[in-house]
Amino acid sequence: MHPADSTLKIEAVNWLPAHRSHDFPYLIGRWRRVAREARLEVRQFAEAEGLPVLAVESRAALKGEPLIYLSAGVHGDESAPVCGLLSWAEENIELLRKKAFLILPCVNPHGLIRNVRLDHRGMDINRRFHLVDDEVCGPWHRMVNARAMVAGICLHEDYDAEGTYLYELSGSREVMGHDLLAACAGAIKPDGRKMIEGRAAVNGVIRRKRFPKDLPGMPEAVVLHQLGCPLTLTFETPSEFSLDARIAAQRLFVEAAVAKVLSAEV
């Protein structure tokens, strides 16, 4: 499948020149403006070789309300999630003021700057979230442990993907992934393969009810679920497609997933 065949009508993402998608100080500057407008708290929860690893938290979450967790930038060569999450936040200031969110804008700042998957130590952070003594994942544990969460949304990209796809980990009988992928199909269609990353997939959705047993290390979404998060969604866009389309798909996915989770709470 060629990228041009999978993209439908989308508006150009003119708010961010492509060469700034790895500009960590620029992106964090925009997050700080979002935080001021939405009255969010920005704090450094870890340090990566001199660079801050930041968390952005809403007032409702700080008060202890069950929160929606969102993260991007675990892998530094996956810039569309970082930009898409920021774009969504800039368009949802009122929602951020009212509802409970814990947001990690960029977990791997060195990787983002260098446009590489691994962190400043040459390690894949997404295989280390179970390690409480890790210099990034340890502080992450202390921040999220015992927090009341309603959903965890982890944003990624995949070099081999032929469209968007989703890992959905939940004990619920309901499968929400198909509706979420449909919501961003105007930017990029779902990956139609029956096997994705060695897992059985249905129209881009890889459904999990239990923890995978064959992982080389524990990824963020699985550890969130182990810590009590009832639903985790790991969304993937195809990194070989256009940056505008990928950012649009990431933004649309976050919008749809957050709306779905919040509607379920009512």
Side-chain angles (χ1 to χ4, degrees), residues 209-231:
K209 294 184 179 180
R210 295 181 295 274
F211 305 133
K213 302 295 186 182
D214 57 348
L215 298 175
M218 297 303 277
E220 179 183 24
V222 173
V223 177
L224 281 172
H225 202 67
Q226 289 178 328
L227 293 175
C229 186
L231 167 70

Side-chain angles (χ1 to χ4, degrees), residues 123-180:
M123 296 178 176
D124 185 344
I125 300 175
N126 211 35
R127 298 296 180 266
R128 300 179 63 82
F129 275 94
H130 59 297
L131 301 176
V132 296
D133 58 349
D134 183 85
E135 65 182 72
V136 174
C137 299
W140 176 87
H141 263 273
R142 292 189 286 276
M143 177 177 63
V144 303
N145 197 20
R147 300 295 298 272
M149 292 178 279
V150 293
I153 301 171
C154 306
L155 305 174
H156 284 268
E157 300 202 83
D158 180 0
Y159 181 88
D160 297 316
E162 297 179 4
T164 60
Y165 70 89
L166 170 69
Y167 293 95
E168 181 174 342
L169 177 57
S170 169
S172 171
R173 292 183 178 181
E174 179 187 6
V175 179
M176 67 171 61
H178 297 295
D179 289 341
L180 301 182

Side-chain angles (χ1 to χ4, degrees), residues 24-25 28 32 42-55 105-110 113 136:
F24 177 71
I28 293 304
R32 292 191 184 279
V42 180
R43 67 180 181 278
Q44 177 178 325
F45 72 90
E47 182 176 312
E49 201 174 69
L51 291 180
V53 186
L54 299 177
C106 182
V107 180
N108 180 7
H110 279 280
I113 292 168
V136 174

